[in-house]
Amino acid sequence: MKREILINAAPRETRVAILEDDQLVELMVDRPDARRMVGDIYLGRVEAVLPGIQAAFVDIGTDKSAFLHASDLVFPEDDERDEDAAGDDDDETEDDSSRSRRAKAPPIQDLVKRGQDLLVQITKEPISTKGPRVTAQISLAGRFLVFMPDASRVGVSRKIGERAERQRLRALVQGVLPRDSGGVIVRTVGEDVTEETFRRELSTLTTQWKKIKRKTHFQRAPSLVHRETNLTRGIIRDLFSTKIDSLTVDSRQVHAEILEYLKGIAPELAERVKLYEDNVPLFDKSEVETEIRDLFKRRCDLPSGGYIIIEQTEALVSIDVNSGRYTGKKDPEKTILKTNTEAAREVARQLRLRDIGGIIVCDFIDMETRSNRDRVLQELRTNLSRDRARTKAFAVSDLGLIEMTRQRVRPSHLHAMTEPCTTCQGTGRVFTPDTVVRRVERSVRRIAVEGKKERLTVRLHPEVALYLLEQEPDFMRKLEKTAGFALELRDDPLLKPDEFKLVVKGAVRDVTEQYAVA
């Protein structure tokens, strides 16, 4: 599979696109006003301890206090933890080991006290109304190793499957790890690394940890102690390897920084880094910009003519699969199987691309045979395996649904790059003109019951006013007769489509009084 990384660097925004076989599969955006926080280390102060939920809230200086669960204060000796998310268990993607850690965690009130200073690391950014989630299990990521000061074992990435290779790497790292200095996880890219490289990186990480510890003696909580590396460096450290065919960047400065960084960690990859200098923007040239513009559409079309509908809600994400214009030839089951198989691939891609996390429910087209249902599930799992975030897809339910979870450490692109519509308040719906007119009618009748007899001006959005004039031309005359006082219709482009105002002007002085706002 052909893999590419494109970096579009601008003064106020850096965007990283990951392409697989010329298709956009992942997008990362970094802005100064919305900096990525996962990995940052803070000296926090415990604000509240809540035994009822086995958690504490820690003030780290952000708008909302951070959430700390009791299990994140216990240092588990699990050498099979994911190297890319050490100590990063997520509510919606926790596995059996994380659930057991929750069950075994001592009472939170025995571990921390209110007012206590605590060194914590962000594992999940603030999402919606929730503050960040933190852990006391600090981990420092290098290119080949993840250093965990409070652990004691040597682990190896799950993605290195061969047992003999895992044992070899574990023994190699144990040979360079000083006694009682902490624990280490070997990352996937560390598979072919020499003992000297491990020793050098471990030395760098342990020195970094000593600096962080020293800072805590001179800073007062709450304060930032260590900031995770920026997006570009993080991509080079975590993703750029021999499995990536090329990395293209459109900024001379960032290009130079990348080459300088690679000198120290992987000089052999420097020849794969390219500087883009064409006048046509990089993302336009690679046709990535078009896909980004379509990122928030509800509908995603499939190659055969079917489509999926993606709806994000507060509780979960629902994905509906439809056959659309694709009707096949003869066998309906084959038609459905083809549509569902294409949908499984697209669902996995859209989850990565939109950075959607949490609980996801996929409603595939009903299939008659068990073997076909299993084929679609396997196709989904195969494509999900390419995702860097932890995912888990369950078997097809009795209702024909596939339930799954995806690790969520930051808001999805939809929540990060958009805001609720001021007109519909995020529902995506507004009242029809006919409904607005009926509400006006009821409001005027209420005013008549109150005994008001002043002349009223009815202000409506221009589209609603036009509807009234064309569809109900005698509406104002009939309402005047019923209410017993004069009415005047005015259009007001400053109003929302489903908003109206009833205004009365006094005879003595020009006083505007708003009776009702829908």
Side-chain angles (χ1 to χ4, degrees):
M1 179 181 288
K2 179 185 175 185
R3 290 186 174 91
E4 299 174 83
I5 297 176
L6 307 180
I7 301 178
N8 166 228
R12 295 288 299 172
E13 180 183 66
T14 299
R15 298 184 299 172
V16 177
I18 299 176
L19 279 65
E20 293 178 355
D21 289 335
D22 297 320
Q23 188 176 44
L24 180 66
V25 296
E26 203 167 332
L27 175 71
M28 285 158 279
V29 181
D30 196 21
R31 295 172 179 162
D33 58 342
R35 190 182 56 79
R36 298 163 80 88
M37 299 173 64
V38 171
D40 290 354
I41 300 174
Y42 288 81
L43 181 62
R45 178 160 294 157
V46 179
E47 275 194 331
V49 178
L50 306 176
I53 58 173
Q54 272 285 73
F57 285 97
V58 184
D59 179 14
I60 60 172
T62 51
D63 292 339
K64 293 186 178 180
S65 295
F67 178 86
L68 174 68
H69 192 268
S71 61
D72 291 319
L73 283 163
V74 179
F75 308 120
E77 299 301 331
D78 181 6
D79 62 357
E80 298 296 322
R81 290 196 298 166
D82 186 336
E83 85 284 6
D84 291 319
D88 191 21
D89 293 319
D90 189 273
D91 285 338
E92 295 82 12
T93 60
E94 60 182 4
D95 54 17
D96 293 338
S97 62
S98 64
R99 277 193 290 270
S100 66
R101 286 200 300 273
R102 284 175 176 271
K104 295 175 183 176
I108 185 75
Q109 62 271 27
D110 295 344
L111 301 173
V112 294
K113 305 296 180 187
R114 184 181 178 188
Q116 176 183 341
D117 287 355
L118 204 59
L119 195 64
V120 294
Q121 185 172 34
I122 293 183
T123 58
K124 186 193 290 187
E125 294 181 8
I127 298 174
S128 186
T129 58
K130 299 176 182 177
R133 178 162 182 166
V134 295
T135 177
Q137 301 168 22
I138 307 298
S139 60
L140 298 175
R143 179 167 175 79
F144 309 111
L145 301 171
V146 175
F147 175 62
M148 297 172 295
D150 298 297
S152 60
R153 289 191 181 181
V154 174
V156 179
S157 166
R158 292 176 181 174
K159 295 178 183 178
I160 300 175
E162 294 183 13
R163 181 177 293 274
E165 179 63 13
R166 294 171 65 85
Q167 291 176 345
R168 184 189 73 82
L169 288 170
R170 188 175 283 112
L172 192 66
V173 174
Q174 283 173 338
V176 300
L177 182 65
R179 196 168 194 174
D180 299 328
S181 64
V184 168
I185 293 176
V186 181
R187 306 188 71 174
T188 310
V189 291
E191 191 168 1
D192 301 317
V193 174
T194 64
E195 181 178 335
E196 180 56 34
T197 303
F198 279 141
R199 191 190 306 277
R200 189 166 59 246
E201 181 163 276
L202 187 58
S203 174
T204 301
L205 293 174
T206 52
T207 301
Q208 189 179 49
W209 172 241
K210 289 174 183 176
K211 288 180 180 177
I212 291 171
K213 289 292 286 181
R214 277 199 300 270
K215 278 187 178 181
T216 61
H217 298 308
F218 303 104
Q219 294 184 211
R220 295 181 60 185
S223 62
L224 176 67
V225 176
H226 170 75
R227 177 164 288 173
E228 178 64 301
T229 188
N230 62 34
L231 176 60
T232 304
R233 281 202 167 205
I235 288 296
I236 303 301
R237 182 192 69 194
D238 299 337
L239 288 181
F240 193 40
S241 66
T242 53
K243 294 179 181 179
I244 303 295
D245 296 284
S246 66
L247 184 150
T248 307
V249 58
D250 61 4
S251 164
R252 281 187 175 277
Q253 180 183 342
V254 176
H255 179 259
E257 289 175 2
I258 290 173
L259 291 179
E260 184 64 29
Y261 184 54
L262 283 175
K263 281 182 184 178
I265 62 167
E268 69 280 3
L269 295 176
E271 61 183 19
R272 302 190 187 207
V273 180
K274 302 173 184 176
L275 174 62
Y276 182 82
E277 297 183 284
D278 201 330
N279 290 329
V280 179
L282 174 60
F283 278 22
D284 287 346
K285 183 84 170 181
S286 55
E287 299 181 356
V288 168
E289 202 68 64
T290 304
E291 290 201 61
I292 294 175
R293 281 196 292 268
D294 295 341
L295 198 61
F296 306 121
K297 287 185 177 179
R298 294 171 62 246
R299 173 170 169 155
C300 299
D301 293 320
L302 303 174
S304 66
Y307 62 92
I308 63 175
I309 299 292
I310 302 174
E311 296 277 8
Q312 295 191 49
T313 71
E314 187 73 19
L316 52 80
V317 177
S318 69
I319 301 177
D320 185 38
V321 180
N322 297 281
S323 59
R325 67 175 187 274
Y326 179 61
T327 56
K329 293 182 179 179
K330 293 182 180 179
D331 189 348
E333 187 71 5
K334 286 185 178 178
T335 302
I336 292 170
L337 176 61
K338 182 174 182 180
T339 303
N340 280 343
T341 303
E342 290 181 353
R345 298 189 199 107
E346 188 62 18
V347 165
R349 185 177 85 96
Q350 289 296 329
L351 294 180
R352 289 177 68 188
L353 184 55
R354 300 177 185 225
D355 202 9
I356 293 173
I359 300 171
I360 300 140
V361 178
C362 303
D363 183 11
F364 288 90
I365 304 171
D366 290 341
M367 292 168 284
E368 297 292 335
T369 65
R370 174 108 189 155
S371 62
N372 285 347
R373 291 196 292 269
D374 291 342
R375 284 176 66 181
V376 171
L377 178 61
Q378 186 56 45
E379 185 71 25
L380 178 63
R381 286 174 172 169
T382 299
N383 284 272
L384 288 173
S385 66
R386 299 174 188 156
D387 199 337
R388 291 190 297 135
R390 294 195 302 275
T391 58
K392 187 172 184 179
F394 298 87
V396 182
S397 72
D398 293 340
L399 294 175
L401 307 175
I402 292 182
E403 300 166 1
M404 59 174 293
T405 60
R406 183 175 185 272
Q407 179 188 18
R408 177 170 57 184
V409 297
R410 60 180 57 87
S412 68
H413 288 314
L414 177 69
H415 290 98
M417 299 170 69
T418 68
E419 59 185 23
C421 169
T422 56
T423 295
C424 70
Q425 303 302 322
T427 66
R429 313 286 295 183
V430 294
F431 287 114
T432 62
D434 179 58
T435 304
V436 176
V437 171
R438 301 285 77 80
R439 297 178 78 184
V440 169
E441 185 177 5
R442 288 191 291 271
S443 294
V444 171
R445 289 178 185 273
R446 289 191 200 101
I447 293 171
V449 170
E450 293 172 4
K452 305 285 186 180
K453 296 298 179 182
E454 295 90 348
R455 181 185 181 89
L456 272 182
T457 299
V458 181
R459 294 187 178 275
L460 299 169
H461 186 273
E463 289 185 8
V464 181
L466 183 63
Y467 165 86
L468 199 57
L469 293 173
E470 291 180 347
Q471 303 297 324
E472 301 183 43
D474 58 348
F475 171 80
M476 297 296 286
R477 180 179 56 80
K478 289 181 178 178
L479 191 57
E480 277 183 344
K481 186 175 180 180
T482 303
F485 51 80
L487 295 172
E488 179 185 9
L489 177 64
R490 291 282 181 87
D491 65 328
D492 187 347
L494 297 179
L495 292 177
K496 299 173 184 176
D498 57 358
E499 184 181 37
F500 69 87
K501 290 182 180 180
L502 303 181
V503 180
V504 58
K505 292 188 177 181
V508 180
R509 52 200 177 108
D510 190 13
V511 178
T512 301
E513 193 174 343
Q514 182 177 309
Y515 274 105
V517 178

